Amino acid sequence: MVLLLATRCVQRRTTPNAYQKLITSSNSYRLIASSHHNASDKYTETRLLSHASSMYNCNETAPSSTLIGHFSSPLSLYRKQQFSTAVARDYDSLEDVGYEQQPISKLIHENNDRMPRLQALREQLRDEKRQQQQHHQHQSNDVKVAESTKPMIDYSTDMDNSILTDTHGRHHNYLRISLSERCNLRCQYCMPPEGVPLSPTSNLLTNDEIMRLVTLFVKNGVDKVRLTGGEPLLRKDLVPLVHSISEELKKSNATSSNLVGITTNGISLSRHVHDLVDAGLTGVNISLDTLSSDRFQEITRRKGLDKVMRAIGDSISAFQNRYGHVRTGPNGTGGSRVKINCVVMKNFNDDELVDFVNMATDTFGGDVDIRFIEWMPFNDNAWSRSRFVSYQDMVDKITNGGLPLERIIDGPNDTTKWWQVPQKDSTRIGFITSMSEHFCSTCNRLRITADGKIKTCLFGSNEKEVSLKDIMRQSSSDDPRQQEDDLSRVIHAAVQRKTFALGGHGSADNIAKAADNRPMTLIGG
């Protein structure tokens, strides 16, 4: 892994101990730097990092003992070197250019204002880059190939028409926000039995911070927001937050989509669903992996199947009361506002697929959609190929169980392949095929974790996350426009670095082997 050591001070009153707070925010500067120039040029990256630091009132030179912020180059995935070796090598390179001895303020043009300074520095670095090209001729051919294929982002000029369009032409209009890392279940495919280490409440986004981000994303084309967790219903003041998001979507978008959804385990949904729908909730996804009480307790490590089943019926009722019907589209002919998500695992619940389809029709009158989800690897969920059930295997199990399936039309950017049983045509049956037939080419989703980091791909590594929370809390500007501009530029750079598929890992087995992601409960479903 190629690492650069970097520093910055958070406020003018910052003490040396405050440098410990920089670890989580250093990725923000990594994006600012790598999006300007080829990230393999350590000198260029270091100078740009320093300039990014100066945007937050950094006007000191930190001693080498406080250079603690990590800074990973995109070349790190290519070289795969050990941490200690990389630190030693890259620290030497910083000494070579005299970085440690230079005040940060001398690394920028003092006569330029904020973003013009960034552009001026970029032009200066272009000149320096040309002068240093001879110095880099001795680099190995494989490094040259990695550098030449890395896309360059000229980010000091006007950004794309939308900051949410990536280098593969995908526009992201769907934002998923995790409201809590906590959950009242312990599902096997989500976390270990003892749970996961949680962030302090002070490290999580507040409702005001969430609304700042929602407003910015909506302004740039987002018309669908989904609230996830953990368990989002554990969040206080959830109803007013849903109302605020709904109103922001209505105010900022001319389209009629403006969807506000929630994904929940359903345990406490019955107590809140009517208030949430009245506040503007337009859809609910309920996680349910078995219809057997014993199996429910085995997979979730808790009791509660009866509460989830009651929540499904109460959700249908709430949407019918609000809209007159539970299905979207003209005359209620589209998909259901209530969806059941079922993660399928071999030798556990793969014998219940037909039962789920029959339950949707017989128990709930076809007013719910059933979605069967391929089990996906995340940190600490013990994913195994031996327990994986593919999309085709699921279809075969249903048809072999006496329910012939008929393919129907999928929606734009849909993650789900939709089918129906001809004699039960009011019930839609979907398959989310993330592993066997991924849908990355049409991905339109971005995620914000509960601790305020933007995650552009569900399977992306932790080192690609960037803290938007830190930018909001540590900005030195009192000008809301400047704060929004700072956020926009970092979001744009993060989106530009989104890989084409599966977080760059290539397959489910490689995702599991890399183990460089979070547990699912810390991402947000």
Side-chain angles (χ1 to χ4, degrees):
M1 181 180 293
V2 178
L3 298 172
L4 291 177
L5 304 178
T7 80
R8 74 173 181 83
C9 46
V10 180
Q11 300 286 347
R12 295 184 186 276
R13 297 183 297 274
T14 298
T15 63
N17 290 337
Y19 284 97
Q20 294 296 329
K21 298 179 180 179
L22 303 182
I23 294 176
T24 59
S25 62
S26 61
N27 278 342
S28 304
Y29 306 130
R30 176 187 67 214
L31 285 182
I32 293 174
S34 64
S35 64
H36 276 280
H37 240 286
N38 193 313
S40 62
D41 183 346
K42 300 181 183 68
Y43 179 60
T44 299
E45 252 186 355
T46 302
R47 296 285 301 278
L48 280 164
L49 177 65
S50 302
H51 174 72
S53 301
S54 73
M55 293 170 62
Y56 292 83
N57 285 342
C58 294
N59 51 14
E60 305 173 13
T61 299
S64 59
S65 61
T66 62
L67 297 178
I68 59 167
H70 79 273
F71 196 143
S72 85
S73 162
L75 206 54
S76 60
L77 293 179
Y78 187 81
R79 289 183 172 173
K80 301 289 187 182
Q81 295 187 357
Q82 296 297 321
F83 176 88
S84 57
T85 303
V87 168
R89 184 186 66 247
D90 288 318
Y91 186 71
D92 290 341
S93 71
L94 293 178
E95 290 180 332
D96 290 343
V97 299
Y99 173 76
E100 184 182 6
Q101 305 302 323
Q102 298 184 39
I104 290 174
S105 60
K106 291 184 179 179
L107 297 179
I108 63 172
H109 292 293
E110 295 181 350
N111 295 328
N112 293 319
D113 290 328
R114 217 161 198 187
M115 295 318 297
R117 283 187 300 161
L118 196 58
Q119 184 169 357
L121 180 63
R122 179 179 59 81
E123 295 298 334
Q124 176 186 340
L125 294 178
R126 281 180 173 173
D127 294 336
E128 293 173 353
K129 177 69 176 182
R130 283 191 287 268
Q131 295 172 10
Q132 294 181 17
Q133 283 180 344
Q134 292 298 323
H135 174 71
H136 294 289
Q137 290 301 314
H138 68 279
Q139 289 182 325
S140 61
N141 290 334
D142 56 348
V143 174
K144 289 180 180 179
V145 169
E147 291 177 348
S148 64
T149 56
K150 180 66 184 175
M152 304 265 298
I153 305 170
D154 184 0
Y155 152 122
S156 63
T157 57
D158 289 340
M159 288 181 287
D160 217 19
N161 288 336
S162 172
I163 64 173
L164 305 183
T165 300
D166 67 13
T167 57
H168 308 287
R170 298 173 296 196
H171 178 67
H172 300 78
N173 67 325
Y174 183 4
L175 182 64
R176 303 174 69 98
I177 305 173
S178 177
L179 300 183
S180 173
E181 296 178 344
R182 294 184 300 127
C183 187
N184 43 8
L185 298 180
R186 294 289 182 272
C187 297
Q188 292 184 24
Y189 54 79
C190 192
M191 69 174 82
E194 67 276 11
V196 296
L198 302 177
S199 302
T201 302
S202 60
N203 286 356
L204 304 183
L205 290 173
T206 65
N207 278 12
D208 287 343
E209 289 168 337
I210 289 172
M211 286 310 304
R212 283 182 61 186
L213 293 175
V214 168
T215 299
L216 177 58
F217 277 92
V218 168
K219 181 184 295 186
N220 285 278
V222 163
D223 60 7
K224 181 177 182 180
V225 176
R226 178 166 294 278
L227 305 176
T228 67
E231 174 49 50
L233 292 175
L234 298 179
R235 175 89 177 205
K236 295 181 180 179
D237 299 324
L238 177 58
V239 171
L241 180 61
V242 167
H243 177 74
S244 297
I245 294 173
S246 177
E247 291 301 305
E248 186 63 36
L249 285 167
K250 292 176 183 176
K251 178 177 66 177
S252 302
N253 283 296
T255 64
S256 58
S257 50
N258 298 336
L259 302 176
V260 184
I262 193 170
T263 297
T264 172
N265 59 36
I267 293 294
S268 60
L269 180 59
S270 289
R271 297 200 304 267
H272 305 287
V273 66
H274 286 276
D275 290 338
L276 288 169
V277 171
D278 289 341
L281 191 73
T282 62
V284 59
N285 294 351
I286 300 173
S287 299
L288 178 62
D289 304 309
T290 179
L291 302 178
S292 162
S293 296
D294 292 340
R295 284 184 176 179
F296 183 93
Q297 186 169 352
E298 179 182 352
I299 197 169
T300 66
R301 306 182 177 104
R302 299 288 189 275
K303 296 181 179 180
L305 177 61
D306 56 334
K307 295 180 180 178
V308 179
M309 296 297 289
R310 182 166 64 251
I312 296 171
D314 290 342
S315 298
I316 292 172
S317 174
F319 286 118
Q320 286 176 333
N321 292 342
R322 174 68 175 81
Y323 297 103
H325 46 73
V326 72
R327 293 195 169 272
T328 61
N331 300 317
T333 57
S336 176
R337 298 179 185 274
V338 182
K339 293 179 173 59
I340 297 174
N341 289 342
C342 175
V343 176
V344 180
M345 290 179 283
K346 187 176 294 183
N347 298 326
F348 178 75
N349 63 348
D350 58 334
D351 60 342
E352 293 189 66
L353 305 187
V354 171
D355 295 336
F356 268 93
V357 177
N358 288 332
M359 177 267 293
T361 300
D362 300 341
T363 303
F364 298 110
D367 283 332
V368 296
D369 292 339
I370 304 293
R371 300 197 302 182
F372 297 115
I373 303 174
E374 291 181 343
W375 187 27
M376 295 172 274
F378 296 98
N379 282 25
D380 300 327
N381 77 341
W383 187 89
S384 169
R385 175 66 67 177
S386 64
R387 298 186 68 187
F388 175 75
V389 182
S390 71
Y391 164 45
Q392 190 57 57
D393 289 341
M394 294 183 209
V395 171
D396 290 344
K397 284 182 177 293
I398 293 174
T399 55
N400 292 340
L403 293 177
L405 295 179
E406 178 180 272
R407 192 73 163 88
I408 57 178
I409 298 175
D410 304 332
N413 304 105
D414 211 332
T415 61
T416 307
K417 295 176 174 62
W418 288 108
W419 298 69
Q420 66 182 15
V421 179
Q423 62 266 35
K424 300 180 178 182
D425 56 9
S426 63
T427 301
R428 296 197 310 168
I429 306 163
F431 301 88
I432 298 180
T433 63
S434 306
M435 299 293 97
S436 65
E437 296 184 22
H438 71 71
F439 32 81
C440 300
S441 63
T442 59
C443 181
N444 66 336
R445 293 155 186 80
L446 297 172
R447 287 174 168 80
I448 305 294
T449 61
D451 57 351
K453 296 181 180 180
I454 182 171
K455 194 172 185 68
T456 59
C457 176
L458 180 60
F459 305 108
S461 65
N462 287 337
E463 73 173 18
K464 293 184 179 180
E465 298 174 357
V466 188
S467 179
L468 303 181
K469 176 200 69 184
D470 288 349
I471 294 173
M472 290 188 288
R473 293 185 182 181
Q474 298 169 3
S475 175
S476 61
S477 174
D478 294 328
D479 181 1
R481 292 184 181 179
Q482 185 60 59
Q483 294 174 8
E484 181 178 306
D485 188 58
D486 291 344
L487 278 171
S488 296
R489 290 179 179 278
V490 172
I491 292 168
H492 176 64
V495 171
Q496 293 296 290
R497 294 186 61 188
K498 181 171 181 174
T499 58
F500 179 72
L502 301 179
H505 295 293
S507 69
D509 299 280
N510 289 342
I511 295 171
K513 183 178 179 181
D516 58 359
N517 201 353
R518 300 178 177 217
M520 187 60 173
T521 190
L522 299 185
I523 297 174

